[in-house]
């Protein structure tokens, strides 16, 4: 499609003038086709300037999500190599669920806005346009069902590395998978799976992640204002969403290889290095009851080991949640 090819060249020369003649020659299309593609891209909201006699320029401050803009930073073999970028969709997890049978391993759906973003425990996930990235990856892992939590662990580790690379600060992980800075939640992860009823084996897994990049223009709703934060609240510069998505996909593939090859020890070491609450007093919340405990470590399966009432207990993801103690600058329950 000429539109995609023109956008790819402009992304590769972001901030520089590219002449219409050069675009037409490189893409072996007419100058009229180039002009039509530029018009269509502008209508979609891409900030493309034209300079008389000089050509076209994609503004260096453009933060529009695009397949071309993501692909140019990708180093993966399969994650994100088959890619959809939507300006609006109900939910990227829903989209992949609907098309899981026909889409390849690693297919990624990215959206600028979700109208029915879903969170854990049946909650909704606020997904306004221009301020975040909402994406899901379809995987066909050969993993026993009980190891599905490793995919979520991989996603949490991958987004921490991606934030370091593209936002220049190092966040922490609150077990199981909340990624935080100064007590503010920066992103949410929702992993869903389809299981073959007869054999109990995994048909597919979908890992979805929503990342708050900047505060939406309309502000945050009152109920999440004290708990949600965004990357640009902490980054020393503007964050480029295409580069952030690609960095996440690159690290997710690396983590996936560790899981698939059984090298979970390396993944867990990485995961633990972001768990800044280990060794601290926490509260474990089960069936609405909060009990004091000390967070000791994370075992090779990603389970949390705590000391509670003088005994050591292993807490499995999903059966319990934790709250960090008030005296630290660490986050409360989210
Ligand atoms: C949570 O913290 O409750 C998890 C939120 C997960 C949100 C992401 S955004 C992309 C994907 N699509 C969805 O509908 N949900 C996930």
């Amino acid at each position: 499609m000429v539109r995609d090819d023109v956008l790819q060249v402009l992304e590769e020369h972001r901030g520089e003038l590219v002449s219409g003649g050069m675009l037409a020659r490189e893409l072996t299309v007419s100058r009229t086709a180039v002009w039509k593609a530029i018009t269509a891209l502008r209508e979609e909201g891409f900030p493309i300037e034209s300079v008389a006699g000089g050509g076209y320029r994609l503004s260096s401050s453009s933060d529009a999500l695009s397949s071309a803009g993501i692909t140019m930073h990708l180093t993966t073999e399969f994650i994100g190599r088959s890619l959809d970028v939507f300006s609006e969709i109900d939910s990227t997890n829903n989209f992949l669920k609907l098309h899981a049978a026909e889409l390849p391993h690693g297919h990624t759906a990215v959206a600028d806005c979700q109208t029915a973003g879903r969170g854990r425990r049946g909650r909704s996930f606020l997904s306004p346009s221009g301020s975040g990235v909402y994406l899901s990856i379809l995987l066909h892992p050969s993993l026993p069902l009980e190891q599905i939590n490793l995919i979520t662990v991989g996603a949490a580790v991958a987004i921490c590395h991606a934030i370091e690379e593209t936002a220049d600060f190092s966040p922490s992980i609150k077990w199981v998978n909340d990624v935080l800075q100064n007590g503010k939640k920066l992103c949410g992860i929702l992993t869903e799976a389809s299981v073959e009823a007869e054999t109990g084996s995994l048909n597919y897994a979908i890992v979805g992640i929503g990342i708050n990049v900047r505060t939406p223009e309309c502000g945050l709703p009152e109920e999440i204002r004290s708990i949600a934060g965004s990357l640009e609240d902490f980054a020393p510069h503007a964050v480029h969403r295409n580069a952030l998505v690609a960095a996440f996909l690159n690290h997710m593939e690396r983590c996936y290889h560790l899981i698939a090859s059984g090298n979970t020890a390396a993944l867990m070491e990485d995961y633990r290095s972001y768990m800044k609450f280990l060794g601290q007093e926490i509260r474990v919340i089960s069936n609405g009851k909060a009990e004091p405990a000390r967070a000791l470590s994370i075992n090779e399966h990603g389970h949390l080991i705590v000391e509670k009432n003088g005994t050591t207990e292993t807490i499995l993801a999903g059966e319990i949640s934790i709250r960090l103690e008030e005296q630290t600058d660490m986050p409360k329950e989210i």
Side-chain angles (χ1 to χ4, degrees):
M1 207 172 150
V2 184
R3 171 214 174 272
D4 296 345
D5 297 338
V6 167
L7 182 57
Q8 180 168 347
V9 178
L10 292 180
E11 277 284 6
E12 283 163 3
H13 297 271
R14 166 186 287 264
E16 294 165 27
L17 276 177
V18 182
S19 80
M22 185 275 222
L23 277 165
R25 265 194 314 283
E26 195 158 303
L27 304 175
T28 53
V29 295
S30 67
R31 288 182 73 136
T32 311
V34 169
W35 176 79
K36 278 190 185 155
I38 297 278
T39 307
L41 287 165
R42 281 189 181 136
E43 277 167 12
E44 286 172 47
F46 286 88
I48 301 172
E49 283 172 68
S50 54
V51 175
Y56 303 104
R57 174 166 46 212
L58 178 64
S59 162
S60 54
S61 63
S62 161
D63 194 33
L65 283 167
S66 71
S67 176
I70 294 168
T71 307
M72 64 186 278
H73 301 286
L74 269 190
T75 57
T76 58
E77 274 167 38
F78 66 95
I79 291 188
R81 288 296 168 185
S82 169
L83 180 66
D84 282 311
V85 179
F86 300 99
S87 51
E88 185 180 294
I89 196 165
D90 58 346
S91 146
T92 51
N93 268 34
N94 288 358
F95 172 81
L96 290 188
K97 248 189 227 176
L98 208 60
H99 298 282
E102 74 257 25
L103 292 173
H105 181 49
H107 184 92
T108 300
V110 181
D112 178 52
C113 159
Q114 294 184 125
T115 52
R118 292 188 294 107
R120 283 175 291 164
R121 300 178 191 143
R123 292 179 188 145
S124 59
F125 188 80
L126 182 74
S127 317
S129 165
S131 59
V133 181
Y134 317 101
L135 74 90
S136 306
I137 306 169
L138 174 69
L139 298 165
H140 294 289
S142 326
L143 275 183
L145 183 59
E146 58 276 16
Q147 286 188 10
I148 185 81
N149 68 313
L150 294 177
I151 305 265
T152 308
V153 166
V157 168
I159 193 61
C160 286
H161 283 285
I163 291 171
E164 285 172 346
E165 271 175 33
T166 59
D168 283 319
F169 69 90
S170 184
S172 59
I173 299 175
K174 190 188 90 157
W175 188 84
V176 182
N177 63 8
D178 282 332
V179 175
L180 309 133
Q181 182 72 355
N182 291 2
K184 296 290 180 85
K185 177 167 162 170
L186 304 175
C187 70
I189 301 170
L190 175 67
T191 304
E192 298 181 289
S194 156
V195 179
E196 169 98 45
E198 265 133 46
T199 59
S201 61
L202 268 178
N203 291 325
Y204 64 78
I206 293 169
V207 57
I209 181 163
I211 310 151
N212 308 326
V213 175
R214 56 188 69 96
T215 309
E217 266 170 28
C218 54
L220 288 174
E222 176 64 37
E223 62 275 17
I224 60 168
R225 217 168 281 164
S226 63
I227 53 178
S230 68
L231 302 190
E232 288 189 356
D233 295 340
F234 306 104
H237 50 71
V239 176
H240 182 201
R241 291 185 300 168
N242 287 328
L244 171 72
V245 170
F248 171 67
L249 300 179
N250 293 340
H251 283 287
M252 189 64 208
E253 185 167 293
R254 187 177 56 76
C255 293
Y256 185 82
H257 280 310
L258 293 177
I259 298 166
S261 64
N263 190 1
T264 49
L267 179 68
M268 285 307 155
E269 202 179 311
D270 219 353
Y271 184 51
R272 272 183 217 109
S273 72
Y274 289 106
M275 298 245 160
K276 298 176 188 165
F277 72 96
L278 291 179
Q280 294 186 20
E281 298 301 322
I282 60 167
R283 280 174 186 272
V284 291
I285 304 158
S286 179
N287 301 325
K289 207 173 127 212
E291 287 185 282
R294 178 183 290 275
L296 296 180
S297 97
I298 301 289
N299 72 11
E300 71 277 22
H301 308 293
H303 304 150
L304 177 65
I305 315 292
V306 299
E307 187 191 300
K308 195 150 68 84
N309 303 323
T311 56
T312 302
E313 274 185 32
T314 302
I315 303 180
L316 310 190
E319 72 178 23
I320 222 157
S321 62
I322 66 166
R323 187 190 298 258
L324 305 169
E325 282 296 10
E326 305 271 338
Q327 71 267 23
T328 69
D329 65 343
M330 296 297 283
K332 321 288 182 298
E333 168 67 8
I334 291 174

